[in-house]
Amino acid sequence: MKWVTFQRIEDAHFHVMPLDDLRGHFPHDDCWCCPSEDEETPNVMVHHAMDAREAFESGERLPS
Ligand SMILES: [Zn+2]
């Protein structure tokens, strides 16, 4: 479960994106995953993994 932080020069946001997701992410607000702004850090956009690994990390789902 690797995540990568990416910042484009022309973009004020940092993008936190899941690495090796089922589908590649673009470090942009209109990425297919509809990234959401981090609640605690306003200039951070958090992308959503297609394989739902976030649910495992947060404990919502357990590996079977
Ligand atoms: Zn994304």
Side-chain angles (χ1 to χ4, degrees), residues 10-52:
E10 70 273 25
D11 190 343
H13 288 102
F14 284 94
H15 290 262
V16 179
M17 305 185 295
L19 206 58
D20 300 325
D21 198 5
L22 300 176
R23 186 175 168 187
H25 291 260
F26 291 104
H28 199 276
D29 295 0
D30 62 6
C31 181
W32 58 265
C33 73
C34 298
S36 51
E37 203 163 55
D38 189 89
E39 293 175 12
E40 296 172 6
T41 319
N43 67 331
V44 172
M45 298 299 290
V46 181
H47 290 241
H48 303 288
M50 183 175 257
D51 59 9

